[in-house]
Amino acid sequence: LDPATKTPVPVAAAAAVVATTFFSSMLYYVFIINGALVFAEVGVDSSAEYGKLIFIPSMFILAGAVLFRLLANKGSGMQIATFLFLLGAGLAGIGLAHSVPMMLAALVVQQTAAGMAVPTLIAWAQSKYSFEHRGLGMGLWTTAFFLAQSQSPNMVHALNTYTGSMQGAFLTAGGVGVAVAVLVFIGTMVKGNGRTAA
């Protein structure tokens, strides 16, 4: 492009993408990194048993991908609100579970949300940048997503220390996720257009 035709980098949009992606990824990695530890609190202390138990719930990632597609015409605001709500509800459900079946049921919800997370965030992030700035934008997205991967364990450790249990950490993280999802949903409704919300 001719330098005269270049548009400025959308700094506000980039900041929103980075913040939303970082927060979402922090929650996304809570179960991935700490799943075995939280299952141990309901008596599953064998890695082989843990692997068998989570096999079927993990397949619900595919359901999340389908749900992402079904919500495509609702706009990215609704997609983000939905996956954050399901992710938060799943984590909170794991935190509240008193038995393995209860934990597996909550895990189904969490894994469904996990299947929505990456495509939802990428589709939304790309919509915030013109073609000219998309390379920079997706570089920032990738940085935020994987930086959160490294910091999520620190957050969970802090919540574990504060609440006194890994389930308490999951419940707290999930509660925050649900609260943010409600705020995104309200913002989407106020704007009246889920395609540009969030």
Side-chain angles (χ1 to χ4, degrees), residues 16 51 77 81 85 103 115 126-127 131 150 154 158 163 193 196 198:
F85 182 83
M103 193 166 281
Q126 288 185 332
S127 75
F131 180 78
S150 70
N154 294 331
T163 63
N193 183 358
T196 58

Side-chain angles (χ1 to χ4, degrees), residues 65-158:
V66 172
L67 185 56
F68 163 77
R69 182 67 185 89
L70 292 175
L71 292 175
N73 65 343
K74 301 296 183 181
S76 54
M78 189 62 70
Q79 288 175 318
I80 291 172
T82 299
F83 100 74
L84 282 177
F85 182 83
L86 292 175
L87 189 61
L91 292 174
I94 291 170
L96 291 170
H98 298 298
S99 66
V100 171
M102 290 175 63
M103 193 166 281
L104 291 175
L107 181 57
V108 165
V109 177
Q110 187 274 339
Q111 289 292 286
T112 300
M116 286 188 69
V118 172
T120 295
L121 291 170
I122 289 178
W124 172 67
Q126 288 185 332
S127 75
K128 294 297 184 181
Y129 301 102
S130 64
F131 180 78
E132 179 184 358
H133 300 299
R134 196 160 289 172
L136 171 64
M138 295 315 296
L140 292 173
W141 183 91
T142 302
T143 299
F145 191 86
F146 289 106
L147 178 61
Q149 180 183 14
S150 70
Q151 295 307 307
S152 183
N154 294 331
M155 175 193 73
V156 174
H157 174 72

Side-chain angles (χ1 to χ4, degrees), residues 74-82 124 180-198:
K74 301 296 183 181
S76 54
M78 189 62 70
Q79 288 175 318
I80 291 172
T82 299
W124 172 67
V180 172
V182 171
L183 292 177
V184 173
F185 177 76
I186 292 172
T188 299
M189 293 298 99
V190 169
K191 289 183 179 182
N193 183 358
R195 294 183 184 278
T196 58

Side-chain angles (χ1 to χ4, degrees), residues 16-97:
V17 168
V18 167
T20 303
T21 300
F22 184 83
F23 173 78
S24 300
S25 184
M26 289 279 280
L27 294 183
Y28 177 84
Y29 281 104
V30 168
F31 180 81
I32 293 174
I33 296 173
N34 304 282
L37 297 176
V38 77
F39 265 79
E41 293 189 347
V42 291
V44 181
D45 51 13
S46 163
S47 59
E49 183 183 2
Y50 169 71
K52 291 177 182 178
L53 286 171
I54 69 168
F55 176 75
I56 292 178
S58 295
M59 298 298 288
F60 278 80
I61 285 180
L62 300 175
V66 172
L67 185 56
F68 163 77
R69 182 67 185 89
L70 292 175
L71 292 175
N73 65 343
K74 301 296 183 181
S76 54
M78 189 62 70
Q79 288 175 318
I80 291 172
T82 299
F83 100 74
L84 282 177
F85 182 83
L86 292 175
L87 189 61
L91 292 174
I94 291 170
L96 291 170

